[in-house]
């Protein structure tokens, strides 16, 4: 049985160029950091396909967002390596691409703290999560300037190793936060309370049961949480449609 990855702290850095992000993601993956523990934010990614409009909270499945496989055609290969890619509008920053678990945090805040905080923008979400305000302000300013932010959730006893890795890839404003992001189920989902709030609030009770049943079945077969989440969302999409509030609640009628 493989050893469970223990993510205990989050190390983050600013990168000036997109090609640096490609390099550091691949090196993190090579060092054993799971893709669902790596987050990216940036304004000026060079997408392979022109993005028409924005993907809003109503359009995005939360809990890792929609998978990289779904959005992969929009972005370069290294972004599609991560667990999810979405386009968000953040006040005072504008439209950004967010990949990985940071996306669920930002989407959850977009209808609450961020949208309701005059002058706060990204700073509000990051400080609520646990980052000092001065560091969050620097990150928002650098993001506004078109630079990129990478965040990796890592074991505490390997912080030095990953700090050196980020430095060697020319990362700047390296910072460690003593917390990690909320993830969906860690292990089997035995009740709706095991789902992240971001997932639960976008599923009806019936859709929650469908999600959990497929998630647990796939997890038992594969021991892969990412593959299980993909399969669970696909099962929801096959059985339900979204209502006017963006909740997957309308059971599909099969016509033969």
């Amino acid at each position: 049985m493989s050893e469970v990855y223990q993510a205990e702290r989050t190390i983050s850095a600013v990168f000036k160029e997109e090609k640096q992000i490609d390099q550091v993601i691949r090196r993190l993956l090579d060092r054993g950091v799971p893709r669902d523990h790596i987050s990216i934010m940036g304004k000026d990614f060079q997408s392979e396909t022109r993005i028409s409009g924005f993907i809003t909270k109503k359009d995005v499945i939360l809990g890792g967002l929609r998978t990289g496989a779904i959005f992969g055609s929009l972005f370069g290969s290294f972004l599609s390596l991560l667990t999810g890619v979405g386009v968000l509008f953040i006040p005072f920053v504008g439209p950004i691409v967010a990949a990985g678990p940071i996306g669920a945090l930002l989407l959850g805040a977009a209808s609450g703290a961020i949208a309701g905080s005059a002058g706060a923008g990204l700073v509000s979400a990051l400080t609520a999560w646990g980052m000092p305000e001065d560091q969050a302000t620097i990150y928002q300013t650098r993001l506004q300037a078109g630079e990129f932010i990478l965040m990796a959730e890592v074991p505490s006893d390997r912080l030095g190793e990953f700090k050196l890795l980020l430095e060697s890839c020319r990362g700047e404003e390296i910072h460690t936060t003593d917390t990690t992001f909320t993830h969906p189920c860690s292990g089997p989902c035995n009740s709706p309370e095991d789902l992240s709030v971001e997932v639960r609030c976008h599923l009806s009770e019936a859709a929650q049961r469908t999600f959990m049943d497929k998630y647990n079945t796939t997890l038992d077969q594969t021991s892969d949480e990412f593959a299980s989440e993909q399969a669970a969302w696909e099962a929801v999409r096959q059985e339900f449609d979204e209502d006017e509030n963006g909740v997957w609640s309308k059971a599909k009628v099969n016509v033969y």
Side-chain angles (χ1 to χ4, degrees):
M1 183 175 178
S2 60
E3 184 178 348
V4 176
Y5 184 79
Q6 295 291 335
E8 298 162 316
R9 304 176 78 179
T10 302
I11 188 166
S12 53
V14 174
F15 293 89
K16 292 183 177 180
E17 300 178 8
E18 184 175 333
K19 64 183 179 182
Q20 295 173 306
I21 293 290
D22 191 0
Q23 178 187 23
V24 74
I25 287 177
R26 296 183 188 280
R27 290 183 63 181
L28 287 168
L29 293 172
D30 288 344
R31 296 286 184 94
V33 179
R35 54 187 174 179
D36 60 341
H37 289 277
I38 302 172
S39 293
I40 298 293
M41 291 183 286
K43 292 183 64 176
D44 300 323
F45 285 108
Q46 298 300 309
S47 61
E48 295 177 353
T49 305
R50 187 175 181 83
I51 300 170
S52 177
F54 301 118
I55 300 162
T56 66
K57 184 173 182 180
K58 180 178 179 181
D59 301 320
V60 179
I61 298 176
L62 302 182
L65 312 183
R66 288 185 191 263
T67 65
I70 295 172
F71 284 108
S73 63
L74 298 179
F75 303 100
S77 60
F78 69 95
L79 276 177
S80 65
L81 292 174
L82 304 185
T83 55
V85 179
V87 181
L88 314 172
F89 185 86
I90 302 298
F92 314 105
V93 177
I96 70 165
V97 172
I102 184 65
L105 174 74
L106 296 179
L107 281 164
S111 62
I114 289 181
S117 301
L122 180 66
V123 174
S124 175
L126 293 180
T127 54
W129 169 66
M131 183 176 288
E133 184 175 354
D134 58 347
Q135 188 66 43
T137 300
I138 291 171
Y139 279 5
Q140 175 167 294
T141 301
R142 301 289 290 264
L143 196 62
Q144 287 172 317
E147 297 178 355
F148 306 90
I149 298 171
L150 179 140
M151 310 172 88
E153 299 165 280
V154 301
S156 294
D157 60 2
R158 297 180 66 189
L159 272 176
E161 171 191 346
F162 290 113
K163 184 174 185 292
L164 288 173
L165 187 156
L166 296 182
E167 289 174 344
S168 69
C169 293
R170 294 188 291 168
E172 301 177 5
E173 294 294 342
I174 297 173
H175 177 78
T176 301
T177 306
D178 295 332
T179 187
T180 56
F181 294 108
T182 299
H183 290 257
C185 300
S186 178
C189 294
N190 299 313
S191 72
E193 286 68 35
D194 291 332
L195 300 172
S196 70
V197 174
E198 293 83 5
V199 171
R200 195 164 63 241
C201 73
H202 276 68
L203 299 176
S204 66
E205 291 185 6
Q208 289 174 14
R209 289 193 293 272
T210 295
F211 184 99
M212 291 188 294
D213 288 346
K214 188 64 175 180
Y215 182 93
N216 291 337
T217 298
T218 307
L219 185 67
D220 185 58
Q221 294 170 344
T222 67
S223 299
D224 186 328
E225 292 180 3
F226 175 57
S228 301
E229 188 181 358
Q230 286 184 290
W233 279 121
E234 183 58 35
V236 169
R237 285 194 293 273
Q238 290 177 357
E239 295 187 23
F240 299 89
D241 287 320
E242 289 178 287
D243 63 21
E244 62 277 7
N245 296 314
V247 177
W248 294 76
S249 63
K250 301 165 66 175
K252 291 183 176 179
V253 178
N254 294 318
V255 179
Y256 297 97

